Amino acid sequence: MPLKMYGVLKCRVEDSKPGEKSNPHYQVLVTEGKFNYRIDINVQSKQSPSELLYFVNNNFQHPITQELTQLGFGFNNLDSKPGGLALDFIRGNMFDVQNMKPLPFEVQGPENDLNELLDVYIQRAISERDAVLYAYGQKWGPDKNIPDKVFHFLPGNGIHNIHMNQGNSKEFRGDNGVWQDGGLLINFPSRNQWVAVFLAFQSQALHTDDVTGHQLDDAAISRDTAGVRIIAAMVNPIGDDVGKESVTLINTSPNSINLTGWAIADKFKHKRSLDGTILPPGAFVRIPLSGDNLQLSNDGGIITLLDDKGLKIHGVSYTKSQAKNAGWTILF
């Protein structure tokens, strides 16, 4: 069943402790002004291979960042559904999961393991007092009687499952769900910068059921199919948007692709069928969105390309800032 008490903690960073062989979790002490929390981050997997997958974006741009700044400090419960602030590595188009790479948590030498990678950004967040950390995961506590076992504060509060929470192997299948992934987003206002850190276990599947979050058994995507990409979108046409919005696709593969059964989806999973569309090799096609429930919000959004099995082939996101200039096409 999905995680209970899923949400995001808005806080400031106070201290940290690297993961150790006896306890391979990177620990972060944070405060939301009134209470302390401990953020417990897995840096090693219990299952083989032990190295976690990671992806860091030093210039993270996504429509959720604007909404996050409007949250109050403290833990904010989130509904696990599209269209809100919940994270989903597969459906949220925050990054390309294929770009995640494995990294051991502890290796001799500087800046070559997951402990040190996390520490770079956490130490910066400590030193820059206007920095704000948004920790996505599952809340525990408060425990008024037992001090925190790492930083010894009372009452004990914490956030864990700071990683992908779907597509798990059989042992952890009970934690599967959609729109409940963990992660770290750090806003450095003085730098006008957002940093995003995403983690996953190598044992987790990257194609999952839209309802349960369980691994899909038939999730093979051919090399040709993977070559169809979203390259542009007309999000904010001049005048009335109705009938003027569009998404442009390109086929980078050497073979023609029949898009019958495929669809384009927005952040609310509204879809536009691509039935009857055939893309020759190297060709592109502009898909008008007139007459469909699918809408591209001028406040930022996501666009996803799905094949005839409902599997995600490609996805992009855009911000309110990118959409503000009427009549201009956004390139991805």
Side-chain angles (χ1 to χ4, degrees), residues 302-313:
I302 64 175
I303 309 169
T304 304
L305 179 64
L306 304 171
D307 71 4
D308 55 354
K309 299 176 184 176
L311 300 178
K312 176 182 171 181
I313 300 300

Side-chain angles (χ1 to χ4, degrees), residues 68 93 120 136 147 154 221:
L68 285 173
N93 297 351
V120 166
Y136 277 86
L154 275 172
I221 294 177

